[in-house]
Each structure stands twice: as C-alpha cells, then as structure tokens.
C-alpha cells in the first residue's frame, strides 16, 4: 500500500529540514494531518510569507525585510566597528547583551571547502568591498574556535590586513559560532570588553 500522493509529497517536503529523515518526516506529516490542521495551515502561511519576504541585508547579510536591516539602517550605530559572526542568532545574542553599538557582518556559516562552503558562499567578497570603502576601523571576530572557525578567522584577518584595518577577537571562554545565543548577556558583554588584538 502507498500513501495518497499529497501525503507523500508532504512527507518528502519535510525531509528538506536539517536532521529530519523519512521516519521523522512521516511522523510530522501524520501529526499535522490528524490533529493539527490549523497549525499546519499557519505553518504553510508562515513558510510562504518568509520565503517571499525575507532577504539578506545588503550590508551585513543578516535576515531583513528591506534592502537594509534595522541595525545597518540606524544612523546611531557606530559604522567604524564591525563584528563578524557566524549566524543571525549570534547577532541577537550581542544585541541582548546591550553592550555593543557597532555594526555586524553575518557569514551565515564558516569556511568548509569540503562541504562546498568557500569565501564567496560566506559573502567575503562583500566584506572585502566594505573594508575597502574605508569606513571601518576595527573588525571584531566572534567566529568559533573549531577548525572551520579558525580558518574563517584567518581568512578575514588577511582581508583586513590587505585593507589596513585592525582586527580583534572577543575573549575566549565563551562558546562561539552559532552558540553565542546560549551565552548570557553579562558574559558576552565581558567577552566583548576583554577583546584582544588578533594578528596571527
Ligand atoms: Zn544589515
């Protein structure tokens, strides 16, 4: 016996999510069809709206609903200071710390050539352009300390040095690279204040 085609289509669609295999996808589809029609419709509407309405900010690559995100569009933010983070969740963590008044650049990942993630996928050509505009005086690295995080940090360092821009790194001891959102604001604020020049 096979599922009705629409049920199969729904199950297949769920398998595009990270960590969701055929069995979990099947459970999700059954749950919505059996007990969650209203939630299912809301899920569909939210997916549709986000897929059509969310883009990447042209300056920092964070999610935005206009060409610029609210941070890049805010003239009170210090445009000479740019914090390099791996994910939009990391930006939220910095914003919640209440300590940071500069801007961001969101890589949406870390360098991982074997997985096909190179400089272009991380928008590092866009960062290079921003560095060469001459407005930035300090880059603050808040990427992870994994192999990928280190490779990314060194790539960014090279770009900054070519442009004559100083680089610092937030104090170690907090989990970074997609994990910042689990750090409390006070700890993150302290890591930011304790940042050190990064040059090797
Ligand atoms: Zn932005």
């Amino acid at each position: 016996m096979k599922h009705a085609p629409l049920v199969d289509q729904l199950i297949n669609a769920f398998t595009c999510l990270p960590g969701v295999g055929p069995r979990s996808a099947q459970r999700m589809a059954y749950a919505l069809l059996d007990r969650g029609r209203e939630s299912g419709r809301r899920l569909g509407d939210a997916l549709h709206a986000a897929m059509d309405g969310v883009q990447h900010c042209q300056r920092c690559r964070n999610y935005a609903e206009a060409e610029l995100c609210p941070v890049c569009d805010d003239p009170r933010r210090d445009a000479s200071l740019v914090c390099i983070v791996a994910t939009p969740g990391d930006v939220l963590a910095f914003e919640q710390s209440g300590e940071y008044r500069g801007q961001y650049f969101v890589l949406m990942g870390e360098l991982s050539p074997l997985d096909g993630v190179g400089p272009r996928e991380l928008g590092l050509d866009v960062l290079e352009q921003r560095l060469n505009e001459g407005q930035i005086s300090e880059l603050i690295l808040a990427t992870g300390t994994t192999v990928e995080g280190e490779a990314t940090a060194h790539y960014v360092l090279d770009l900054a040095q070519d442009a004559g821009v100083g680089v610092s790194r937030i104090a170690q001891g907090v989990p970074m690279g997609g994990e910042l959102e689990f750090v409390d604001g006070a700890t993150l604020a302290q890591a930011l204040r304790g940042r050190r020049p990064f040059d090797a």
Side-chain angles (χ1 to χ4, degrees):
M1 197 203 106
K2 292 175 101 176
H3 285 119
L6 283 177
V7 177
D8 257 338
Q9 184 179 310
L10 181 60
I11 294 171
N12 278 332
F14 276 125
T15 59
C16 76
L17 294 169
V20 176
R23 291 181 76 88
S24 316
Q26 188 170 300
R27 266 203 306 277
M28 291 175 182
Y30 290 171
L32 291 180
L33 290 170
D34 281 344
R35 295 180 298 278
R37 295 280 167 134
E38 230 2 85
S39 324
R41 286 193 190 95
R42 275 203 303 277
L43 175 63
D45 290 346
L47 275 174
H48 223 273
M51 294 309 109
D52 287 344
V54 178
Q55 51 183 300
H56 290 285
C57 170
Q58 292 191 351
R59 280 187 74 71
C60 75
R61 299 182 88 233
N62 201 355
Y63 296 132
E65 291 179 34
E67 280 190 8
L68 293 182
C69 72
V71 171
C72 291
D73 205 24
D74 182 350
R76 291 165 303 179
R77 304 292 296 226
D78 182 356
S80 72
L81 205 56
V82 173
C83 184
I84 312 284
V85 296
T87 74
D90 294 342
V91 172
L92 281 185
F94 273 106
E95 290 300 288
Q96 279 159 11
S97 81
E99 175 83 4
Y100 185 64
R101 297 305 302 158
Q103 297 187 340
Y104 298 94
F105 192 82
V106 188
L107 300 168
M108 299 286 174
E110 289 176 330
L111 281 180
S112 183
L114 292 180
D115 301 316
V117 183
R120 186 162 284 275
E121 282 68 34
L122 300 183
L124 288 167
D125 48 333
V126 178
L127 179 64
E128 190 174 11
Q129 256 172 35
R130 276 186 73 179
L131 284 166
N132 289 327
E133 283 168 12
Q135 210 181 7
I136 302 174
S137 62
E138 181 186 351
L139 282 189
I140 303 171
L141 279 167
T143 52
T145 49
T146 57
V147 173
E148 290 82 9
E150 291 295 336
T152 309
H154 282 91
Y155 194 97
V156 171
L157 178 66
D158 281 347
L159 290 183
Q161 284 179 334
D162 287 349
V165 172
V167 179
S168 62
R169 194 165 200 188
I170 68 170
Q172 308 291 311
V174 297
M176 293 180 285
E179 305 285 328
L180 282 180
E181 52 200 298
F182 305 114
V183 178
D184 70 273
T187 307
L188 195 52
Q190 206 172 20
L192 194 57
R193 281 194 297 268
R195 67 183 186 271
R196 297 226 164 81
F198 177 66
D199 52 19

